[in-house]
Amino acid sequence: MSARFLVTAPIPSPGLDLLRCAGEVTVLQDQPDSAFLRHLCASGNFDVVLTHTRDVIDAPLLEQAQLRGVANNAVGFNNVDIAAATANNTMVANTPGVLTAATADIAMLLILGTARRVVEADTMVREGRFHGWEPGLMLGSDVSGRVLGLAGFGRIARATAHRALAFGMDVIFTPRPPVHREVSLTELGEFAGKVKQVRWNELVEHSDFLSLHVPLTDGTRHLVNASVLSRMKSEAVVINTARGPIVDEAALVQALKNGPIGGAGLDVYEHEPALAPGLAELPNTVLLPHIGSATVRVRGEMARLSALNALAMARGELPPHPVNPGAWD
Ligand code: GLV
């Protein structure tokens, strides 16, 4: 019998073509609600479901599901309950590597965009309020010579460090906040002597730009909360290209409104796609619609990787990028 795939939203080429060569593909055109997705996964009509970050693959779904695998079309997999997947012998796979540079580009764009007030400036021009060069018009802040603090030091953090160093920033990092983990010189590799490891409290207190690059887990939910925000520099900017719930967004709005911090550049939101009340009205923010990986090439590569993961799982083989490789043991 040929393999049967459920794809929860259309994916770019070559993803669907790869799947169609191997079996039957059902592509949902509208975002399924959780009851419908649970029903489809429990129907026994599909071997593998190809999901997106907005699909919640939780324990109740996984307990009823009759699936070999979940191919999540993202590097992050916080939308899938991995423990429940493993307990239910469901393999989960993701798409690491291909979106590293694109996401680091967006982190750098948010750093530059908040520093140089790009949204305010663009709006001023479009609204016809630009009446010629003025010495005090739209003054922002430098990025060179300022401190970028990286929360996390994985692939995307390192790619962001590369970009920031090229812009003359001083880069400090905490590999696994809020806990301490010493990174060896070998692990630092090419960054030895170029970036400095500090503890989480120092990262919070010394960063001019605090950029988040940790996965969303129970340990990182609300990593940036009111208490952390109150210890940041008054001009500091929070940059989030990772996952929204890492930041307590209501506390962020308060901190941006009343001080103590200077700005925020966000690509992800705590209750995505909803924004915390007041966030959209704040001028000292740059707000993007979760487009870290959104280039034509990268989205094609992600689709290819998730299709390859799905094909392998449908054949009963370990996928190229398993998240819980022991799921079928
Ligand atoms: C996007 O957010 C991803 O995790 O790939």
Side-chain angles (χ1 to χ4, degrees), residues 53 72-78 95 99 103 241-243 267-268 290 292-293 299 302:
T53 52
N72 204 40
N73 187 34
V75 64
F77 44 81
N78 55 289
T95 65
L99 45 75
T103 309
T241 54
R243 284 293 182 266
D267 187 40
V268 288
H290 201 151
S293 62
R299 286 285 164 86
M302 289 168 69

Side-chain angles (χ1 to χ4, degrees), residues 147-149 172 202-210 232-233 236:
V147 178
L148 170 65
I172 58 177
E202 288 174 66
L203 196 85
V204 166
E205 285 161 20
H206 296 164
S207 296
D208 293 308
F209 296 85
L210 177 66
M232 292 181 69
K233 290 182 181 175

Side-chain angles (χ1 to χ4, degrees), residues 141-147 164 167-170 209:
S141 58
D142 295 305
V143 297
S144 56
R146 300 188 73 227
V147 178
F167 276 86
M169 299 185 83
D170 295 329
F209 296 85

Side-chain angles (χ1 to χ4, degrees), residues 24-192:
E24 259 171 57
V25 185
T26 303
V27 184
L28 302 182
Q29 297 303 321
D30 299 319
Q31 186 177 352
D33 64 21
S34 57
F36 186 48
L37 188 56
R38 195 183 315 164
H39 161 78
L40 291 173
C41 292
S43 66
N45 292 337
F46 304 103
D47 302 303
V48 175
V49 59
L50 195 151
T51 53
H52 302 275
T53 52
R54 64 192 195 186
D55 300 317
V56 179
I57 310 297
D58 56 9
L61 181 150
L62 287 157
E63 276 154 21
Q64 293 171 25
Q66 296 191 48
L67 296 169
R68 279 199 192 144
V70 175
N72 204 40
N73 187 34
V75 64
F77 44 81
N78 55 289
N79 57 314
V80 184
D81 184 330
I82 301 299
T86 308
N88 291 286
N89 305 109
T90 309
M91 183 81 70
V92 181
N94 69 340
T95 65
V98 292
L99 45 75
T100 303
T103 309
D105 288 346
I106 289 288
M108 199 64 219
L109 178 152
L110 289 171
I111 292 168
L112 291 166
T114 47
R116 300 304 296 273
R117 306 172 58 185
V118 72
V119 173
E120 286 174 87
D122 177 278
T123 307
M124 167 181 263
V125 175
R126 286 173 201 275
E127 290 181 350
R129 290 185 284 112
F130 173 46
H131 305 301
W133 189 89
E134 285 173 41
L137 184 66
M138 280 287 159
L139 304 187
S141 58
D142 295 305
V143 297
S144 56
R146 300 188 73 227
V147 178
L148 170 65
L150 298 168
F153 203 55
R155 282 181 296 257
I156 297 172
R158 286 168 184 250
T160 306
H162 265 302
R163 286 154 177 74
L165 289 169
F167 276 86
M169 299 185 83
D170 295 329
V171 180
I172 58 177
F173 73 98
T174 303
R176 193 176 296 161
V179 298
H180 181 64
R181 181 178 77 79
E182 200 64 38
V183 163
S184 68
L185 265 184
T186 326
E187 210 182 320
L188 262 184
E190 58 176 327
F191 289 104

